[in-house]
Amino acid sequence: MPERRATATASPNIAFIKYWGNRDPALRLPANASLSMTLSNLQTNTTVLFDDRLEADQIEIDGSPASDKAASRVTKHLDLIRTLSGNPTFANIHSLSNFPAGAGIASSASAFAALTAAASKAAGLELDKKQLSILARRGSGSAARSIFGGFVQLFSGEVNTDGYAEQLAPAEHWHLVNLIAVVTKEHKSIGSSEGHMLAPTSSIQAIRVQDTARRLEICKKAIMQKDFQTLAQIVELDSNLMHSVMMTSDPPILYLEPESISVMKHVTRWREDGLAVCYTIDAGPNVHCICSLEDSPEVERQLRSIDGILDIYRCSPGNGVALAVTNEQSPQ
Ligand code: PMV
């Protein structure tokens, strides 16, 4: 009998060029291409066990039964895997992250990357990384990027099979540091799935999407040439554009808190004063401060002096999804 249990570990990623809005919500084909850095130190570890005795999926997230909303999203994703494998068996799922969910630290990226790798392996599917990326995208767009380590691009795709991510450069390419200034650990009230649906209601969205290829090329070149100043400008512009779309949607979404703005202003000033640092913010209030390795101790010291920062997570470029060794093989 094939192995029916598998465990996988994946990390979240921070988008430098962000995806916001879906051209095809059912397939989660993103409105625009995106580019990210996979993060070390933060992880989601997920075990999936298909069990014939179960009458429904049993899902535990961070030590508690999953909420109805989270459970139905996981079950929907497992249904895709059950269809692909031709085996309708329900599963027991245990997922544990070492960072807070739903606070703009891309917990859905690591969660769906780990779930996709573990569930497909446990179901007996042998998928390569491109296939895993396509499948992970169906659970969460940004999860398609967490399949890979280092610096990663996600193509927007015309059809299901061309909406996948690809590694641009491995983690060792550029030792950037991401200091995440945590200003709240609470779960956001509007999830990114709802946010994506609202994106087309903003008049700025079409312009943002249309100009993405240009920003992505600038960002890609800056990464390949390790040009921090160019990276800083394009990363902040892209983040500000996405938050402008959010704030001008109908209804508007405002993820930023006063503390987020305070960090943004400080970061801009520190860069003017010569530190290699820039900010970027996902769908939440926590601020990702991207900096050079050399300047990271000073940036961290300065961040600690700002009121309202509850915690600082330090991450470097990290690895892509990996199956636990007990399952003999990692994804190809
Ligand atoms: O993967 P989702 O559906 O949680 O969307 C992620 C959207 C952002 O994190 C805001 C941007 C991105 O590209 O990661």
mmCIF file of all heavy atoms in Angstrom, residues 98-136:
data_model
loop_
_atom_site.group_PDB
_atom_site.id
_atom_site.type_symbol
_atom_site.label_atom_id
_atom_site.label_comp_id
_atom_site.label_asym_id
_atom_site.label_seq_id
_atom_site.Cartn_x
_atom_site.Cartn_y
_atom_site.Cartn_z
ATOM 1 N N ASN A 98 5.152 28.831 13.230
ATOM 2 C CA ASN A 98 5.874 29.466 14.339
ATOM 3 C C ASN A 98 5.763 30.995 14.287
ATOM 4 O O ASN A 98 6.614 31.695 14.795
ATOM 5 C CB ASN A 98 7.345 29.016 14.371
ATOM 6 C CG ASN A 98 8.120 29.496 13.151
ATOM 7 O OD1 ASN A 98 7.544 30.076 12.240
ATOM 8 N ND2 ASN A 98 9.408 29.259 13.139
ATOM 9 N N PHE A 99 4.668 31.493 13.651
ATOM 10 C CA PHE A 99 4.434 32.942 13.570
ATOM 11 C C PHE A 99 2.928 33.169 13.455
ATOM 12 O O PHE A 99 2.199 32.244 13.085
ATOM 13 C CB PHE A 99 5.204 33.535 12.383
ATOM 14 C CG PHE A 99 4.758 33.009 11.042
ATOM 15 C CD1 PHE A 99 3.916 33.760 10.240
ATOM 16 C CD2 PHE A 99 5.160 31.755 10.591
ATOM 17 C CE1 PHE A 99 3.499 33.277 9.009
ATOM 18 C CE2 PHE A 99 4.750 31.272 9.365
ATOM 19 C CZ PHE A 99 3.919 32.037 8.572
ATOM 20 N N PRO A 100 2.416 34.386 13.769
ATOM 21 C CA PRO A 100 0.964 34.593 13.774
ATOM 22 C C PRO A 100 0.353 34.570 12.374
ATOM 23 O O PRO A 100 0.967 35.053 11.420
ATOM 24 C CB PRO A 100 0.793 35.975 14.417
ATOM 25 C CG PRO A 100 2.104 36.646 14.300
ATOM 26 C CD PRO A 100 3.150 35.577 14.231
ATOM 27 N N ALA A 101 -0.861 34.000 12.286
ATOM 28 C CA ALA A 101 -1.548 33.907 10.988
ATOM 29 C C ALA A 101 -2.360 35.175 10.725
ATOM 30 O O ALA A 101 -2.787 35.855 11.657
ATOM 31 C CB ALA A 101 -2.487 32.698 11.004
ATOM 32 N N GLY A 102 -2.549 35.491 9.473
ATOM 33 C CA GLY A 102 -3.484 36.547 9.080
ATOM 34 C C GLY A 102 -3.088 37.945 9.495
ATOM 35 O O GLY A 102 -3.928 38.815 9.671
ATOM 36 N N ALA A 103 -1.766 38.206 9.649
ATOM 37 C CA ALA A 103 -1.345 39.549 10.070
ATOM 38 C C ALA A 103 -0.381 40.164 9.060
ATOM 39 O O ALA A 103 0.446 40.987 9.404
ATOM 40 C CB ALA A 103 -0.701 39.474 11.456
ATOM 41 N N GLY A 104 -0.507 39.742 7.800
ATOM 42 C CA GLY A 104 0.355 40.321 6.765
ATOM 43 C C GLY A 104 1.742 39.719 6.769
ATOM 44 O O GLY A 104 2.707 40.352 6.376
ATOM 45 N N ILE A 105 1.861 38.460 7.233
ATOM 46 C CA ILE A 105 3.145 37.769 7.145
ATOM 47 C C ILE A 105 2.967 36.529 6.261
ATOM 48 O O ILE A 105 3.647 35.527 6.416
ATOM 49 C CB ILE A 105 3.724 37.435 8.546
ATOM 50 C CG1 ILE A 105 3.642 38.667 9.454
ATOM 51 C CG2 ILE A 105 5.176 36.968 8.451
ATOM 52 C CD1 ILE A 105 4.156 38.473 10.853
ATOM 53 N N ALA A 106 2.014 36.632 5.335
ATOM 54 C CA ALA A 106 1.831 35.596 4.312
ATOM 55 C C ALA A 106 1.703 34.190 4.874
ATOM 56 O O ALA A 106 2.307 33.249 4.360
ATOM 57 C CB ALA A 106 2.962 35.667 3.285
ATOM 58 N N SER A 107 0.903 34.040 5.942
ATOM 59 C CA SER A 107 0.729 32.706 6.509
ATOM 60 C C SER A 107 0.035 31.776 5.525
ATOM 61 O O SER A 107 0.277 30.566 5.543
ATOM 62 C CB SER A 107 -0.058 32.780 7.805
ATOM 63 O OG SER A 107 -1.244 33.512 7.608
ATOM 64 N N SER A 108 -0.810 32.322 4.642
ATOM 65 C CA SER A 108 -1.493 31.431 3.689
ATOM 66 C C SER A 108 -0.494 30.897 2.666
ATOM 67 O O SER A 108 -0.680 29.811 2.127
ATOM 68 C CB SER A 108 -2.669 32.122 3.011
ATOM 69 O OG SER A 108 -2.224 33.194 2.221
ATOM 70 N N ALA A 109 0.578 31.640 2.406
ATOM 71 C CA ALA A 109 1.584 31.164 1.439
ATOM 72 C C ALA A 109 2.285 29.926 1.972
ATOM 73 O O ALA A 109 2.369 28.896 1.295
ATOM 74 C CB ALA A 109 2.599 32.267 1.145
ATOM 75 N N SER A 110 2.785 30.008 3.222
ATOM 76 C CA SER A 110 3.473 28.833 3.772
ATOM 77 C C SER A 110 2.474 27.707 4.032
ATOM 78 O O SER A 110 2.775 26.531 3.808
ATOM 79 C CB SER A 110 4.228 29.195 5.055
ATOM 80 O OG SER A 110 3.392 29.827 5.972
ATOM 81 N N ALA A 111 1.262 28.063 4.474
ATOM 82 C CA ALA A 111 0.263 27.030 4.793
ATOM 83 C C ALA A 111 -0.110 26.231 3.545
ATOM 84 O O ALA A 111 -0.112 24.994 3.571
ATOM 85 C CB ALA A 111 -0.979 27.666 5.402
ATOM 86 N N PHE A 112 -0.421 26.914 2.442
ATOM 87 C CA PHE A 112 -0.859 26.171 1.253
ATOM 88 C C PHE A 112 0.300 25.520 0.511
ATOM 89 O O PHE A 112 0.110 24.508 -0.165
ATOM 90 C CB PHE A 112 -1.726 27.048 0.343
ATOM 91 C CG PHE A 112 -3.145 27.097 0.834
ATOM 92 C CD1 PHE A 112 -3.590 28.143 1.628
ATOM 93 C CD2 PHE A 112 -4.027 26.060 0.568
ATOM 94 C CE1 PHE A 112 -4.880 28.169 2.128
ATOM 95 C CE2 PHE A 112 -5.326 26.071 1.054
ATOM 96 C CZ PHE A 112 -5.761 27.136 1.846
ATOM 97 N N ALA A 113 1.506 26.065 0.640
ATOM 98 C CA ALA A 113 2.661 25.394 0.023
ATOM 99 C C ALA A 113 2.923 24.077 0.763
ATOM 100 O O ALA A 113 3.115 23.015 0.148
ATOM 101 C CB ALA A 113 3.888 26.297 0.067
ATOM 102 N N ALA A 114 2.902 24.130 2.111
ATOM 103 C CA ALA A 114 3.147 22.914 2.900
ATOM 104 C C ALA A 114 2.021 21.893 2.701
ATOM 105 O O ALA A 114 2.271 20.696 2.523
ATOM 106 C CB ALA A 114 3.298 23.269 4.379
ATOM 107 N N LEU A 115 0.770 22.383 2.707
ATOM 108 C CA LEU A 115 -0.379 21.477 2.527
ATOM 109 C C LEU A 115 -0.318 20.786 1.162
ATOM 110 O O LEU A 115 -0.553 19.580 1.049
ATOM 111 C CB LEU A 115 -1.689 22.267 2.670
ATOM 112 C CG LEU A 115 -2.973 21.474 2.450
ATOM 113 C CD1 LEU A 115 -3.180 20.440 3.561
ATOM 114 C CD2 LEU A 115 -4.196 22.403 2.390
ATOM 115 N N THR A 116 0.004 21.554 0.124
ATOM 116 C CA THR A 116 0.038 20.984 -1.229
ATOM 117 C C THR A 116 1.104 19.888 -1.330
ATOM 118 O O THR A 116 0.845 18.798 -1.867
ATOM 119 C CB THR A 116 0.335 22.097 -2.267
ATOM 120 O OG1 THR A 116 -0.647 23.111 -2.118
ATOM 121 C CG2 THR A 116 0.318 21.564 -3.686
ATOM 122 N N ALA A 117 2.294 20.179 -0.793
ATOM 123 C CA ALA A 117 3.376 19.190 -0.888
ATOM 124 C C ALA A 117 3.056 17.946 -0.065
ATOM 125 O O ALA A 117 3.225 16.811 -0.546
ATOM 126 C CB ALA A 117 4.690 19.815 -0.434
ATOM 127 N N ALA A 118 2.568 18.142 1.174
ATOM 128 C CA ALA A 118 2.280 16.990 2.043
ATOM 129 C C ALA A 118 1.106 16.177 1.506
ATOM 130 O O ALA A 118 1.191 14.938 1.413
ATOM 131 C CB ALA A 118 2.000 17.468 3.465
ATOM 132 N N ALA A 119 0.020 16.858 1.133
ATOM 133 C CA ALA A 119 -1.185 16.125 0.700
ATOM 134 C C ALA A 119 -0.958 15.398 -0.624
ATOM 135 O O ALA A 119 -1.408 14.266 -0.795
ATOM 136 C CB ALA A 119 -2.369 17.082 0.590
ATOM 137 N N SER A 120 -0.251 16.037 -1.558
ATOM 138 C CA SER A 120 -0.057 15.365 -2.850
ATOM 139 C C SER A 120 0.847 14.133 -2.671
ATOM 140 O O SER A 120 0.611 13.090 -3.263
ATOM 141 C CB SER A 120 0.480 16.323 -3.917
ATOM 142 O OG SER A 120 1.677 16.902 -3.499
ATOM 143 N N LYS A 121 1.856 14.274 -1.810
ATOM 144 C CA LYS A 121 2.745 13.127 -1.545
ATOM 145 C C LYS A 121 1.962 12.001 -0.853
ATOM 146 O O LYS A 121 2.053 10.830 -1.247
ATOM 147 C CB LYS A 121 3.913 13.587 -0.663
ATOM 148 C CG LYS A 121 4.906 12.507 -0.325
ATOM 149 C CD LYS A 121 5.737 12.127 -1.527
ATOM 150 C CE LYS A 121 6.756 11.061 -1.175
ATOM 151 N NZ LYS A 121 7.430 10.549 -2.375
ATOM 152 N N ALA A 122 1.180 12.376 0.177
ATOM 153 C CA ALA A 122 0.406 11.369 0.911
ATOM 154 C C ALA A 122 -0.621 10.688 0.007
ATOM 155 O O ALA A 122 -0.968 9.528 0.208
ATOM 156 C CB ALA A 122 -0.288 12.010 2.109
ATOM 157 N N ALA A 123 -1.089 11.419 -1.005
ATOM 158 C CA ALA A 123 -2.087 10.855 -1.930
ATOM 159 C C ALA A 123 -1.431 10.004 -3.010
ATOM 160 O O ALA A 123 -2.110 9.483 -3.900
ATOM 161 C CB ALA A 123 -2.889 11.982 -2.573
ATOM 162 N N GLY A 124 -0.103 9.929 -2.976
ATOM 163 C CA GLY A 124 0.601 9.074 -3.940
ATOM 164 C C GLY A 124 0.932 9.767 -5.249
ATOM 165 O O GLY A 124 1.360 9.129 -6.206
ATOM 166 N N LEU A 125 0.719 11.107 -5.313
ATOM 167 C CA LEU A 125 1.050 11.835 -6.552
ATOM 168 C C LEU A 125 2.526 12.193 -6.535
ATOM 169 O O LEU A 125 3.045 12.608 -5.508
ATOM 170 C CB LEU A 125 0.224 13.127 -6.642
ATOM 171 C CG LEU A 125 -1.292 12.986 -6.733
ATOM 172 C CD1 LEU A 125 -1.959 14.337 -6.502
ATOM 173 C CD2 LEU A 125 -1.677 12.426 -8.102
ATOM 174 N N GLU A 126 3.195 12.049 -7.646
ATOM 175 C CA GLU A 126 4.610 12.459 -7.724
ATOM 176 C C GLU A 126 4.658 13.723 -8.579
ATOM 177 O O GLU A 126 4.713 13.652 -9.807
ATOM 178 C CB GLU A 126 5.461 11.350 -8.350
ATOM 179 C CG GLU A 126 5.623 10.115 -7.478
ATOM 180 C CD GLU A 126 6.349 10.389 -6.151
ATOM 181 O OE1 GLU A 126 7.132 11.349 -6.080
ATOM 182 O OE2 GLU A 126 6.100 9.634 -5.184
ATOM 183 N N LEU A 127 4.608 14.870 -7.933
ATOM 184 C CA LEU A 127 4.553 16.131 -8.686
ATOM 185 C C LEU A 127 5.905 16.823 -8.645
ATOM 186 O O LEU A 127 6.578 16.835 -7.608
ATOM 187 C CB LEU A 127 3.486 17.058 -8.082
ATOM 188 C CG LEU A 127 2.070 16.487 -7.982
ATOM 189 C CD1 LEU A 127 1.124 17.528 -7.372
ATOM 190 C CD2 LEU A 127 1.551 16.061 -9.347
ATOM 191 N N ASP A 128 6.309 17.447 -9.758
ATOM 192 C CA ASP A 128 7.536 18.244 -9.724
ATOM 193 C C ASP A 128 7.194 19.633 -9.181
ATOM 194 O O ASP A 128 6.024 19.936 -8.903
ATOM 195 C CB ASP A 128 8.220 18.281 -11.096
ATOM 196 C CG ASP A 128 7.364 18.953 -12.162
ATOM 197 O OD1 ASP A 128 6.431 19.715 -11.799
ATOM 198 O OD2 ASP A 128 7.611 18.736 -13.354
ATOM 199 N N LYS A 129 8.215 20.480 -9.026
ATOM 200 C CA LYS A 129 7.980 21.772 -8.362
ATOM 201 C C LYS A 129 7.047 22.678 -9.162
ATOM 202 O O LYS A 129 6.264 23.432 -8.586
ATOM 203 C CB LYS A 129 9.312 22.459 -8.079
ATOM 204 C CG LYS A 129 10.006 21.830 -6.876
ATOM 205 C CD LYS A 129 10.977 22.791 -6.243
ATOM 206 C CE LYS A 129 11.297 22.326 -4.831
ATOM 207 N NZ LYS A 129 12.152 23.260 -4.116
ATOM 208 N N LYS A 130 7.111 22.600 -10.487
ATOM 209 C CA LYS A 130 6.204 23.422 -11.297
ATOM 210 C C LYS A 130 4.747 22.985 -11.060
ATOM 211 O O LYS A 130 3.865 23.816 -10.866
ATOM 212 C CB LYS A 130 6.589 23.282 -12.775
ATOM 213 C CG LYS A 130 5.697 24.084 -13.697
ATOM 214 C CD LYS A 130 6.192 24.002 -15.135
ATOM 215 C CE LYS A 130 5.151 24.542 -16.084
ATOM 216 N NZ LYS A 130 5.537 24.390 -17.485
ATOM 217 N N GLN A 131 4.539 21.675 -11.045
ATOM 218 C CA GLN A 131 3.174 21.171 -10.809
ATOM 219 C C GLN A 131 2.699 21.515 -9.399
ATOM 220 O O GLN A 131 1.534 21.868 -9.185
ATOM 221 C CB GLN A 131 3.145 19.647 -11.026
ATOM 222 C CG GLN A 131 3.311 19.256 -12.480
ATOM 223 C CD GLN A 131 3.593 17.763 -12.627
ATOM 224 O OE1 GLN A 131 4.415 17.190 -11.901
ATOM 225 N NE2 GLN A 131 2.918 17.122 -13.565
ATOM 226 N N LEU A 132 3.617 21.434 -8.425
ATOM 227 C CA LEU A 132 3.253 21.798 -7.043
ATOM 228 C C LEU A 132 2.880 23.279 -6.979
ATOM 229 O O LEU A 132 1.943 23.672 -6.278
ATOM 230 C CB LEU A 132 4.425 21.546 -6.086
ATOM 231 C CG LEU A 132 4.690 20.106 -5.655
ATOM 232 C CD1 LEU A 132 5.949 20.051 -4.793
ATOM 233 C CD2 LEU A 132 3.504 19.527 -4.886
ATOM 234 N N SER A 133 3.625 24.102 -7.723
ATOM 235 C CA SER A 133 3.389 25.536 -7.710
ATOM 236 C C SER A 133 2.004 25.866 -8.282
ATOM 237 O O SER A 133 1.258 26.687 -7.727
ATOM 238 C CB SER A 133 4.508 26.227 -8.508
ATOM 239 O OG SER A 133 4.303 27.600 -8.554
ATOM 240 N N ILE A 134 1.658 25.204 -9.384
ATOM 241 C CA ILE A 134 0.332 25.425 -10.005
ATOM 242 C C ILE A 134 -0.770 25.046 -9.022
ATOM 243 O O ILE A 134 -1.740 25.782 -8.818
ATOM 244 C CB ILE A 134 0.208 24.601 -11.315
ATOM 245 C CG1 ILE A 134 1.166 25.166 -12.373
ATOM 246 C CG2 ILE A 134 -1.231 24.570 -11.819
ATOM 247 C CD1 ILE A 134 1.355 24.262 -13.593
ATOM 248 N N LEU A 135 -0.572 23.897 -8.369
ATOM 249 C CA LEU A 135 -1.589 23.401 -7.433
ATOM 250 C C LEU A 135 -1.670 24.287 -6.187
ATOM 251 O O LEU A 135 -2.767 24.624 -5.722
ATOM 252 C CB LEU A 135 -1.216 21.956 -7.060
ATOM 253 C CG LEU A 135 -2.260 21.080 -6.420
ATOM 254 C CD1 LEU A 135 -3.568 21.092 -7.191
ATOM 255 C CD2 LEU A 135 -1.740 19.637 -6.316
ATOM 256 N N ALA A 136 -0.510 24.692 -5.663
ATOM 257 C CA ALA A 136 -0.499 25.557 -4.471
ATOM 258 C C ALA A 136 -1.209 26.881 -4.763
ATOM 259 O O ALA A 136 -1.904 27.429 -3.904
ATOM 260 C CB ALA A 136 0.938 25.821 -4.023
#
